[in-house]
Amino acid sequence: MSFDLVLFGGTGDLAWRKLMPALFQAFRHGSLPEGGRIIGVARDDLSDDQYRELIESRFAAVEGAKRPSPEEFKKFASMLYFLRMDLSKPGHYAQLADMLKRRNADTVVMYVATAPALFTQVVEQIAAANLNTPRTRVVLEKPLGHDLASNRAINDAVRKVLTEKQVFRIDHYLGKPSVQNLFALRFGNALFEPIWRREHIANIQITIAEDLGVEKRGAFYDQTGALRDMVQNHALQLVCAIAMEPPINAHADALRDEKLKVLRSLKPWTPETLGLHAIRGQYTAGTAYGERVPGYLSEAGIDPQSRTETFVALRAEIANWRWAGVPFYIRTGKRLASRDARIEVNFRPTPHAIFRAPAGAANRLVINLQPKDGLELHLLSQAQNNRKRSNGDATQPLAPVQLDLDFDKRFGSERVGAYERLLLDVIDGRLNLFVRSDEQEEAWRWVEPLIDSWSSDGTPRPYAAGTWGPSASSAMIARDGFSWSEEQ
């Protein structure tokens, strides 16, 4: 199958940091279909060879095992081409159309890795140049809009020129091996599904923590914030994966129908819950990697008076029979104590204790997303020791043990990265791991009261870089009698 993959923003950060390494890994693994061409599009004045040299130089920043050898890159580079385009000029789209028409590939993928403000313009110009043929697929990066109205405007513009099956709204968290195995864990095994409900689960915690600051993304991040950057998309998609009902089959719409039901079941915000169950913070100067680091307001590109949040902690509930009364705690932030993304399913304690166990001990399932990928099942086992029992106690105490599945160790080189998997799915036309427009709109509808409230509210709560966020986050979860895992 021949394909053309057009990268709008082909010299940008996302292209060289994520997309090109993912495409190279697919090429190295032999999973990238033969007869492919990758066309970088940007305003830079580059020849094909200069573009190849640029991409090769960028690969120096890729981690060692994923870095191509000179021989490997030479073969990969034969697929790379460049077209200088100003995305505001219709005539430049005509040049792209001529370039694609001369080859007439079976599939044309347009990956719009540009500023979100350009999405509508790019899609409209693609149609004006008659590039919206049935063999065209368009990939849109997040964030799609900055609120519900802007998201609807983008979706409406896209809907006028493309069918829903041609639009791939990407959320790379859905491509992570651990998230894929969450679906397999739930729907491919009989063990967990009977207890995956309110009667057996006390709470669920989702953490997406970064130890870095805003780095070189200050100007973008200050207009976005943690709520739009991480919660509206990544975190809510993880909530859907955990909470959805079993779909009737593994087809894209069956999966997305069930995710949509979860989003529609999220309890809406009220003035009371906005005050108690929504915490936002902003990092101040602190310590990271053993060195002093500046606060958010001192970072490059940040307005010194900015009220943009770099941390969010939320308590959500899903109003249906399976999950009624089970709190879902979500937190995400920058400059936290460590880089760590995980989902923790905390089960209820046994209804009647006949063994001595540590205070508050209960079973726990941890789905690690990054930097480690895998599953941990925390259990209680009878401690084996020969110490003399006292007070006539005929039982040995219980001690925590865990079963640990590390995907790196188990699957090794067989593992496929998130962007690699998702790019291959786009080329093959598989929509299972992509977000439908109605899902996206429901997610924006749920977070919009937070956006509105925080736009008129005071400054975010400060927290020192290198910590786990404002103390109010711990107080929020403690009101329910629970705590974050690092506090247990």
Side-chain angles (χ1 to χ4, degrees):
M1 179 191 74
S2 62
F3 72 90
D4 280 335
L5 174 55
V6 182
L7 290 180
F8 292 93
T11 58
D13 181 71
L14 180 67
W16 70 260
R17 191 167 50 88
K18 295 290 186 181
L19 304 182
M20 283 296 181
L23 289 166
F24 169 71
Q25 290 303 315
F27 174 81
R28 173 185 271 177
H29 295 154
S31 51
L32 195 63
E34 295 183 6
R37 182 172 61 167
I38 302 166
I39 305 169
V41 168
R43 300 177 73 168
D44 306 71
D45 190 6
L46 300 173
S47 66
D48 292 339
D49 286 338
Q50 288 172 324
Y51 184 58
R52 291 163 186 156
E53 290 171 6
L54 174 66
I55 296 302
E56 184 175 22
S57 69
R58 300 291 192 181
F59 269 111
V62 175
E63 61 182 277
K66 295 182 179 179
R67 200 176 299 159
S69 67
E71 295 76 19
E72 285 178 317
F73 185 79
K74 185 177 180 180
K75 293 177 182 178
F76 176 67
S78 65
M79 302 176 66
L80 301 182
Y81 296 85
F82 186 79
L83 180 64
R84 182 175 181 272
M85 281 184 66
D86 182 335
L87 299 182
S88 66
K89 295 183 177 179
H92 287 198
Y93 291 86
Q95 294 175 18
L96 175 62
D98 289 341
M99 186 178 184
L100 296 174
K101 195 177 296 182
R102 286 196 297 271
R103 188 160 179 267
N104 198 32
D106 297 327
T107 299
V108 176
V109 175
M110 308 271 193
Y111 199 118
V112 189
T114 67
L118 295 175
F119 287 172
T120 299
Q121 181 182 22
V122 170
V123 170
E124 289 174 347
Q125 290 298 330
I126 286 171
N130 296 317
L131 288 170
N132 57 331
T133 67
R135 57 197 174 93
T136 299
R137 293 162 192 161
V138 175
V139 184
L140 298 176
E141 265 286 347
K142 63 94 178 175
L144 249 69
H146 59 272
D147 56 15
L148 179 59
S150 58
N151 176 256
R152 281 176 169 166
I154 292 172
N155 282 331
D156 288 345
V158 170
R159 203 173 286 122
K160 289 176 183 177
V161 298
L162 297 164
T163 67
E164 183 65 34
K165 291 184 177 180
Q166 291 178 280
V167 184
F168 292 72
R169 298 171 188 84
I170 196 167
D171 187 325
H172 72 271
Y173 265 68
L174 293 179
K176 286 181 175 292
S178 294
V179 178
Q180 293 304 294
N181 276 285
L182 175 57
F183 289 116
L185 180 83
R186 290 196 57 197
F187 307 132
N189 297 281
L191 180 62
F192 285 106
E193 193 57 28
I195 60 171
W196 207 260
R197 55 200 328 108
R198 62 184 303 274
E199 290 85 356
H200 302 281
I201 293 177
N203 69 84
I204 292 173
Q205 301 179 16
I206 297 172
T207 295
I208 308 174
E210 299 178 71
D211 53 6
L212 296 174
V214 294
E215 305 304 299
K216 298 178 181 179
R217 300 173 68 224
F220 163 79
Y221 193 88
D222 205 36
Q223 299 299 315
T224 306
L227 183 68
R228 292 182 174 96
D229 192 41
M230 300 298 291
V231 176
Q232 181 274 330
N233 38 68
H234 301 328
L236 288 185
Q237 283 296 315
L238 294 179
V239 169
C240 289
I242 299 164
M244 64 188 280
E245 294 296 321
I248 58 172
N249 55 43
H251 294 162
D253 278 335
L255 288 165
R256 299 194 292 185
D257 286 346
E258 297 303 333
K259 288 197 293 173
L260 180 62
K261 291 176 185 177
V262 173
L263 293 168
R264 287 177 172 169
S265 300
L266 285 168
K267 276 192 175 181
W269 294 100
T270 66
E272 181 183 12
T273 58
L274 283 170
L276 291 174
H277 300 157
I279 310 299
R280 63 173 180 146
Q282 186 184 89
Y283 67 84
T284 59
T287 303
Y289 321 114
E291 298 179 356
R292 292 293 293 175
V293 293
Y296 178 74
L297 298 180
S298 300
E299 299 275 22
I302 302 301
D303 179 354
Q305 304 300 317
S306 175
R307 297 190 305 174
T308 299
E309 76 283 351
T310 63
F311 174 92
V312 173
L314 305 174
R315 182 192 188 277
E317 281 193 46
I318 297 171
N320 63 21
W321 276 33
R322 181 186 288 265
W323 295 113
V326 176
F328 283 68
Y329 302 108
I330 301 167
R331 65 173 172 174
T332 183
K334 289 189 173 295
R335 281 285 186 230
L336 296 180
S338 67
R339 177 174 179 259
D340 187 12
R342 63 185 182 273
I343 302 165
E344 296 185 14
V345 181
N346 293 297
F347 292 91
R348 298 187 186 280
T350 54
H352 175 62
I354 62 172
F355 296 100
R356 288 190 293 121
N363 300 140
R364 180 163 55 108
L365 175 67
V366 180
I367 300 105
N368 290 307
L369 305 175
Q370 67 180 26
K372 175 184 175 183
D373 281 346
L375 302 172
E376 299 172 13
L377 182 59
H378 294 252
L379 307 170
L380 294 170
S381 175
Q382 195 168 75
Q384 299 300 314
N385 61 58
N386 295 317
R387 287 181 299 177
K388 186 178 180 180
R389 298 168 188 165
S390 59
N391 300 325
D393 190 350
T395 64
Q396 292 276 19
L398 299 182
V401 295
Q402 72 181 62
L403 305 176
D404 192 349
L405 172 59
D406 187 318
F407 292 154
D408 278 327
K409 294 177 181 177
R410 172 60 183 85
F411 300 110
S413 60
E414 302 171 28
R415 294 179 61 229
V416 176
Y419 270 105
E420 180 183 351
R421 177 186 294 275
L422 294 171
L423 285 165
L424 290 173
D425 280 359
V426 176
I427 293 169
D428 288 341
R430 292 192 294 267
L431 284 157
N432 298 49
L433 303 180
F434 295 86
V435 182
R436 206 166 56 192
S437 61
D438 50 4
E439 284 182 77
Q440 222 170 38
E441 290 183 15
E442 282 297 331
W444 277 114
R445 182 178 289 108
W446 188 71
V447 302
E448 192 156 60
L450 292 166
I451 295 172
D452 294 341
S453 174
W454 292 351
S455 66
S456 59
D457 198 0
T459 57
R461 299 170 187 265
Y463 65 95
T467 66
W468 279 106
S471 59
S473 168
S474 298
M476 177 191 74
I477 192 171
R479 279 194 289 269
D480 293 332
F482 305 123
S483 61
W484 299 109
S485 59
E486 73 275 0
E487 299 170 342
Q488 294 173 4

